[in-house]
Amino acid sequence: MNFKFLVLSVLALALAGTSMAQTKGTVDSKTLSEIRNSFNADASTQAIQNAITNSKSIRDIALNRNKVGATDHFFKYRVEVKGITNQKSSGRCWMFTSMNTIRPNVIKDLNLSSFDFSHNYNYFWDIFEKSNLFLENIIATADKDMDDREVVRYLSSPVDDGGVWNSFFNVAKKYGVIPAEVMPETTISNNTGQLNRIVKEKLRGEAYKIRQLAAKKGNAKKIEVAKVKALKDVYRILALSLGQPPVDFTWRYKDADGKISEAKKYTPQEFMALVAPEFAKDEMVMIMNDPTREYYKVYEIKNYRNVAEGINWTYLNLPNDEIKAFAMASIKNNQAMYASCDVGKQHNREAGIMDINTYDYASLFGVEFDMDKKARVLTRQSGSSHAMTLIGVDVDENEKPVKWEFENSWGTTSGNNGYLTFTDEWFSEYMFRVVINKKYLNEEAIKALDSKPIQLPVWDYMF
């Protein structure tokens, strides 16, 4: 063997060994041995391993038998609602939920057997307006680097189906609402993934061109022309996929007694004023339980809106007990509320029940899962993932809440015929926000609403 090669090989091995020995944070052989020996493969452990490795679902094995059948679907106080909606394969839960808070009053006021709004109509304008806001944000940040945190946030998702209550407030205020039959769902509106990808690609391409124009001074007019051209293209994509939204429409209906109304012509804004007069008074407010921040303060997430001239996502942060008391008052007064939560946590989909420890992973694996709500939020383990309509509460002999009910928008085959029951303990851990009429708040909460909002960044973890 070549002596020089042998010396170099030995030196390389020695240096490699030295490097590994000096590296901090590695799992050395002693630590690894300790970890391996901590796994006690006794008969009980072997049985659990056999069950898990041969199961199609860890969740099914973890189902806590003590929770099965422990919660019923009966409620002392419940809003009068009728009919379950279905958002299908789209992320429009916030829109369905917002409309579902208005729908019961329309059915009652017009004496209808059933009624629904056109979600397709408002979805069209939501994506269109989000496209405009995205391009405006790109123009406003054109002097920042491409890897700037704010620019990255905008480019990561130019548009999507998501939103919160203020998203519906903005688009309904500007464009109104219409009955479902005036602009029915399309195959694309019921399955929005591909349309979103196409619009995103178009917008990112236009954003890149606009940033190039902005790099040269004196191009303000050209930038505005480029933005309008991009919006024309987005409008075309949406109109071809969803249909063109009407400027006005003629509508008549048959009521629950079989009487056919006179046909009348409306603009969407006029129809909004007809069926939801309270909405126009700006009496609704979002209250939220965010244990990471100070209570009785108002917070606003920068640029979290869909319409450029609309309002941002703004909320009054309150303790859970306050939120529950206000929500009970609303339900007792037959007024449904927009609400959102971390729906995937401890959710028995087959039973339509959400309760803490529905799935006992701690007992199954023999390890602790002990984060509280604050820790889950800060570590991104938990956050609001779905909006539903809060319609029911059941109480004990002291009028203390024991469980609550959602009207969902996943169709009648989901949950308890389209509804979800959740315990009061689950409310405390996984409920985040409720939109409620100001008249149900106490004096302290109303006073807090007058404070100047604390602005949070576009990348805030509550988003």
Side-chain angles (χ1 to χ4, degrees):
M1 179 181 288
N2 184 290
F3 179 75
K4 183 177 180 182
F5 175 78
L6 178 62
V7 171
L8 289 173
S9 298
V10 171
L11 182 60
L13 288 171
L15 288 173
T18 301
S19 176
M20 288 191 69
Q22 292 177 344
T23 302
K24 292 182 178 180
T26 61
V27 180
D28 58 27
S29 57
K30 180 180 178 182
T31 303
L32 181 58
S33 178
E34 180 183 344
I35 291 171
R36 287 177 63 88
N37 291 334
S38 71
F39 184 75
N40 181 20
D42 57 16
S44 177
T45 300
Q46 187 64 55
I48 296 171
Q49 185 183 65
N50 291 343
I52 293 175
T53 55
N54 288 289
S55 174
K56 293 181 180 179
S57 170
I58 296 176
R59 174 178 167 274
D60 288 347
I61 298 177
L63 180 62
N64 188 344
R65 187 65 192 174
N66 293 329
K67 294 289 184 176
V68 177
T71 304
D72 61 39
H73 298 287
F74 305 126
F75 295 88
K76 183 175 181 179
Y77 304 108
R78 194 173 190 268
V79 177
E80 295 176 15
V81 293
K82 185 182 292 184
I84 291 292
T85 54
N86 193 341
Q87 68 188 75
K88 298 193 176 177
S89 297
S90 72
R92 299 174 292 168
C93 60
W94 57 273
M95 183 184 297
F96 276 71
T97 298
S98 297
M99 289 177 168
N100 284 341
T101 65
I102 302 171
R103 200 162 54 91
N105 292 334
V106 179
I107 293 173
K108 182 180 179 181
D109 293 345
L110 298 181
N111 188 31
L112 302 176
S113 298
S114 63
F115 175 82
D116 200 4
F117 294 101
S118 171
H119 303 90
N120 188 27
Y121 171 79
N122 290 94
Y123 178 64
F124 182 107
W125 290 121
D126 174 62
I127 297 298
F128 178 81
E129 286 287 348
K130 282 175 177 173
S131 299
N132 176 64
L133 182 61
F134 165 74
L135 294 171
E136 283 296 315
N137 288 333
I138 290 299
I139 294 169
T141 58
D143 60 336
K144 297 183 178 183
D145 292 337
M146 287 288 284
D147 60 355
D148 177 85
R149 193 171 184 181
E150 188 173 358
V151 176
V152 170
R153 170 69 189 89
Y154 296 140
L155 289 172
S156 65
S157 185
V159 297
D160 55 41
D161 287 359
V164 293
W165 178 81
N166 71 290
S167 307
F168 176 72
F169 181 88
N170 289 335
V171 78
K173 273 280 190 178
K174 184 169 184 176
Y175 294 101
V177 294
I178 63 177
E181 58 268 28
V182 175
M183 188 174 174
E185 297 288 325
T186 69
T187 303
I188 302 303
S189 68
N190 281 328
N191 192 347
T192 57
Q194 189 173 5
L195 176 61
N196 275 326
R197 289 191 291 272
I198 292 168
V199 175
K200 284 178 182 179
E201 181 172 355
K202 179 63 183 173
L203 288 174
R204 286 180 177 127
E206 297 302 322
Y208 187 75
K209 294 175 188 176
I210 285 173
R211 284 181 60 89
Q212 288 182 314
L213 284 173
K216 301 175 183 178
K217 294 183 178 180
N219 276 345
K221 182 62 178 176
K222 289 182 179 180
I223 290 172
E224 179 62 22
V225 170
K227 191 195 89 163
V228 173
K229 181 182 180 300
L231 289 177
K232 288 178 180 178
D233 289 342
V234 170
Y235 187 97
R236 178 176 175 80
I237 292 170
L238 294 176
L240 291 174
S241 303
L242 306 173
Q244 192 168 18
V247 176
D248 54 48
F249 62 95
T250 300
W251 186 66
R252 64 176 183 163
Y253 60 89
K254 180 186 287 189
D255 68 17
D257 299 323
K259 183 180 178 181
I260 300 175
S261 72
E262 179 185 348
K264 292 185 179 180
K265 190 173 184 178
Y266 304 92
T267 65
Q269 293 83 355
E270 289 170 343
F271 191 73
M272 180 75 186
L274 171 69
V275 300
E278 287 295 317
F279 190 87
K281 295 180 180 179
D282 298 351
E283 290 298 306
M284 308 304 287
V285 60
M286 178 179 286
I287 55 178
M288 185 157 167
N289 179 248
D290 175 1
T292 70
R293 296 189 169 106
E294 187 178 353
Y295 291 134
Y296 295 98
K297 298 289 185 181
V298 177
Y299 298 89
E300 176 185 2
I301 300 181
K302 179 183 177 182
N303 269 348
Y304 195 100
R305 61 190 188 277
N306 49 353
V307 177
E309 67 272 29
I311 60 172
N312 284 326
W313 172 2
T314 305
Y315 65 91
L316 171 62
N317 197 28
L318 295 174
N320 269 319
D321 288 345
E322 296 277 37
I323 294 175
K324 291 175 183 179
F326 303 152
M328 282 184 64
S330 182
I331 292 170
K332 288 179 179 180
N333 201 43
N334 201 39
Q335 189 164 351
M337 291 158 285
Y338 175 106
S340 62
C341 63
D342 194 352
V343 71
K345 298 297 191 295
Q346 299 294 329
H347 178 186
N348 185 338
R349 292 174 179 266
E350 293 73 19
I353 299 288
M354 296 183 290
D355 190 5
I356 60 171
N357 299 321
T358 295
Y359 297 96
D360 189 358
Y361 296 106
S363 295
L364 178 65
F365 287 100
V367 299
E368 291 184 3
F369 296 91
D370 54 2
M371 282 192 290
D372 60 13
K373 188 174 185 177
K374 180 178 180 179
R376 288 194 298 268
V377 170
L378 290 174
T379 60
R380 279 59 167 181
Q381 171 60 22
S382 183
S384 183
S385 60
H386 185 52
M388 291 176 280
T389 311
L390 185 57
I391 63 166
V393 61
D394 199 27
V395 296
D396 63 16
E397 63 276 8
N398 298 313
E399 287 291 301
K400 298 292 184 182
V402 293
K403 63 178 184 293
W404 303 76
E405 186 177 33
F406 282 134
E407 176 190 322
N408 203 357
S409 55
W410 290 347
T412 57
T413 60
S414 173
N416 178 40
N417 300 314
Y419 301 94
L420 287 176
T421 296
F422 57 104
T423 64
D424 191 62
E425 292 84 1
W426 192 94
F427 187 123
S428 297
E429 295 297 325
Y430 299 110
M431 180 74 90
F432 283 93
R433 41 192 182 262
V434 172
V435 176
I436 192 167
N437 194 299
K438 293 178 184 177
K439 65 184 180 182
Y440 299 116
L441 305 185
N442 61 20
E443 185 177 343
E444 186 178 8
I446 291 174
K447 183 179 179 181
L449 283 173
D450 293 331
S451 61
K452 183 179 179 181
I454 299 167
Q455 190 163 88
L456 306 173
V458 293
W459 55 83
D460 185 72
Y461 51 77
M462 275 320 237
F463 165 71

